[in-house]
Amino acid sequence: MYKKKSNQSLKDLNTFSMDVTAKKIIFVNTIQSLIEIWKICKSYNLPYIILGEGSNVLFLENYMGIVIINRIKGITIQEKKNVWILHVFSGEKWHDLVKYTMRIGLFGLENLSLIPGSVGSAAIQNIGAYGLEIKHICEYVDVLSLERNNIIRLKKNSCQFSYRNSIFKHKYNNGYAVIAVGIKIKKNWKPIIFPILLKSKKIIQINAYKIFNIICQTRKSKLPNLKKIGNAGSFFKNPIVTSQIAKNILSTYINVPHYLQKNGFIKISAAWLIEKCNFKNIQIGDAAIYKKHNLILVNKKKATGQEILKLAKIIQKSIFKKFKILLEPEIDFINSSGKIKLL
Ligand code: FAD
Ligand code: EPU
């Protein structure tokens, strides 16, 4: 069933390491217990929030409701003619899934190695790295209507996946829980090539294990170690702008990293824009910009959510002033009663 803990700190349950509390924290490992808890929240009119690994949220203050930690686990594999379909429950850790598939010789997830978080959130967020996004490998997502107690299966094309976005952040947000994700792995594996791979000596006789290792090493070298320094990965999304706006920026700064999108829009590196604002050693309390990567805001020790937010606002304002581009946060903000739209 589930474990109940009263007035427990959320510090170890969010990667920003915000030292806040929830009225109750409940770990669930079955769909039934998730529904039971939801019913309790409803009858007492208590706010609730579902978390996976807490790696894409910023708590701004103590949470006055129930935090449900999703640990609904299990993986089943179905073999088809040209593909395997993995039915993965949403409380599995994403990177554990990547390692498991590699161990049993199913390749295709390696470009998404070492991304923290649960499988459910991976679909909600349409996680991406090094040329691959969940949308490329997702077959379906099962979402539970807590109100009606039924599971709806959304085929990939109905999930409205786009850059760090999906229907689970909109239509299927309130009153729904992502329960499982169907992952499609092709039998004829082909490497997804990306710039750091081309630079690597290991490119000769490339295989999925080599890609896995290159990506793990790269990520370890440039992202902060979660055990030592609180953060939630990229704080903002890379802005996607019209070709005219991009042209204006490129006419002044020829070396801005940018990527042409299928619809003709241009994605600009937010890290580069922030670096160009030259914040040097800006620090608000213990909230700072990570030295090795400008898009990552860090909690050096005892930063509060408000301090991180204040720093983010300064960054957002400065970028707008200099480049006329409004950075949009990638992370979710949570106040005492739930998720709120900020910035
Ligand atoms: P949480 O933070 O627990 O939740 C995120 C949101 O989803 C919350 O609003 C929560 O309420 C909701 N939610 C969670 N589970 C459910 C559910 N089952 N049903 C309904 N709603 C739910 N992201 C990338 O895309 N690419 C990267 O390369 C990447 N690198 C990262 C590196 C670091 C060091 C860190 C800290 C983060 C990185 N991220 C990256 C961001 C993060 O890992 C992903 O967004 C991840 O998918 C979040 O998973 P989570 O389980 O921790 O989500
Ligand atoms: N760069 C700078 N300054 C910096 C850091 C980077 O100019 O301080 C430049 C780099 O030189 C490079 C470019 O910016 O040319 C892009 O940097 P990087 O490869 O690190 O990727 P990113 O755009 O910053 C995105 C994702 C990451 C994902 C990587 C790898 C977003 C918001 N972030 O980061 O995802 O791991 O690509 O594919 O799209 C996350 O979502 O939390 C996340 C970490």
Side-chain angles (χ1 to χ4, degrees):
M1 268 291 280
Y2 54 85
K3 285 186 269 173
K4 288 186 187 176
K5 293 182 181 179
S6 289
N7 296 327
Q8 195 206 347
S9 168
L10 284 163
K11 197 168 188 294
D12 296 335
L13 297 169
N14 73 95
T15 61
F16 248 128
S17 273
M18 286 298 120
D19 198 359
V20 290
T21 59
K23 221 168 199 158
K24 254 191 206 328
I25 297 167
I26 305 181
F27 289 75
V28 295
N29 50 30
T30 65
I31 295 174
Q32 207 41 49
S33 49
L34 176 60
I35 294 168
E36 274 174 37
I37 288 146
W38 178 79
K39 281 183 183 159
I40 296 169
C41 293
K42 206 179 171 198
S43 59
Y44 288 92
N45 205 12
L46 274 171
Y48 72 92
I49 185 168
I50 304 170
L51 284 189
E53 302 291 326
S55 65
N56 208 40
V57 289
L58 177 66
F59 282 96
L60 297 167
E61 53 197 345
N62 289 339
Y63 184 66
M64 293 303 162
I66 294 189
V67 174
I68 303 171
I69 308 286
N70 174 18
R71 295 292 182 262
I72 304 170
K73 289 177 186 264
I75 303 172
T76 51
I77 303 176
Q78 198 192 352
E79 182 168 7
K80 296 207 169 177
K81 194 167 169 236
N82 300 318
V83 297
W84 285 278
I85 304 292
L86 278 63
H87 182 82
V88 188
F89 281 92
S90 53
E92 289 284 349
K93 281 191 185 181
W94 175 261
H95 184 62
D96 287 353
L97 173 68
V98 176
K99 285 191 292 188
Y100 170 71
T101 53
M102 306 280 299
R103 237 181 2 252
I104 61 172
L106 306 189
F107 308 125
L109 307 188
E110 56 283 347
N111 290 54
L112 297 178
S113 300
L114 221 58
I115 299 181
S118 60
V119 166
S121 315
I124 295 168
Q125 184 68 8
N126 183 27
I127 57 165
Y130 304 109
L132 186 65
E133 288 180 1
I134 277 279
K135 71 172 183 189
H136 299 126
I137 46 174
C138 174
E139 183 73 354
Y140 59 82
V141 176
D142 285 351
V143 62
L144 170 73
S145 161
L146 293 156
E147 188 81 51
R148 283 186 235 108
N149 191 358
N150 70 328
I151 292 176
I152 308 153
R153 174 158 296 180
L154 292 183
K155 292 266 177 69
K156 170 213 184 116
N157 288 340
S158 304
C159 293
Q160 294 178 6
F161 286 126
S162 61
Y163 173 51
R164 301 296 189 271
N165 208 347
S166 73
I167 200 167
F168 311 104
K169 290 188 155 198
H170 310 284
K171 184 173 173 188
Y172 294 108
N173 183 9
N174 280 333
Y176 294 90
V178 169
I179 292 302
V181 182
I183 307 261
K184 185 169 77 180
I185 295 190
K186 287 185 186 152
K187 288 188 179 173
N188 69 333
W189 176 82
K190 286 195 187 94
I192 295 167
I193 306 294
F194 50 93
I196 51 161
L197 195 61
L198 296 172
K199 281 187 209 149
S200 170
K201 286 181 194 135
K202 293 182 186 159
I203 184 87
I204 305 148
Q205 287 183 332
I206 198 71
N207 61 40
Y209 298 107
K210 286 185 184 172
I211 294 180
F212 175 89
N213 287 333
I214 292 166
I215 288 181
C216 288
Q217 277 166 19
T218 306
R219 295 182 67 98
K220 279 181 188 161
S221 70
K222 72 176 186 186
L223 300 175
N225 180 346
L226 282 176
K227 288 186 182 133
K228 294 189 179 148
I229 187 153
N231 73 95
S234 302
F235 193 91
F236 296 100
K237 293 182 196 178
N238 286 322
I240 298 174
V241 300
T242 60
S243 55
Q244 191 52 52
I245 294 176
K247 247 187 220 161
N248 291 346
I249 296 175
L250 280 156
S251 64
T252 317
Y253 308 96
I254 45 165
N255 60 348
V256 54
H258 62 284
Y259 320 91
L260 181 63
Q261 306 297 287
K262 278 188 186 146
N263 56 7
F265 281 68
I266 315 275
K267 190 190 266 183
I268 308 254
S269 159
W272 186 92
L273 296 174
I274 298 171
E275 194 174 315
K276 276 288 155 288
C277 281
N278 226 344
F279 289 104
K280 295 270 184 217
N281 296 322
I282 188 171
Q283 198 160 323
I284 313 288
D286 269 341
I289 296 173
Y290 187 51
K291 283 215 160 58
K292 291 197 223 165
H293 204 296
N294 282 270
L295 195 48
I296 300 175
L297 302 194
V298 293
N299 169 11
K300 290 180 96 174
K301 215 171 186 172
K302 289 184 170 176
T304 62
Q306 295 295 341
E307 285 165 350
I308 302 270
L309 178 63
K310 198 169 170 190
L311 176 60
K313 278 185 179 162
I314 293 172
I315 293 170
Q316 194 194 44
K317 221 172 151 185
S318 309
I319 299 292
F320 190 75
K321 201 169 162 202
K322 194 172 170 79
F323 299 104
K324 297 284 170 286
I325 288 178
L326 190 67
L327 291 184
E328 192 190 319
E330 179 182 308
I331 59 137
D332 288 340
F333 298 97
I334 303 171
N335 72 7
S336 62
S337 56
K339 290 178 211 174
I340 46 161
K341 289 257 170 279
L342 283 175
L343 298 182

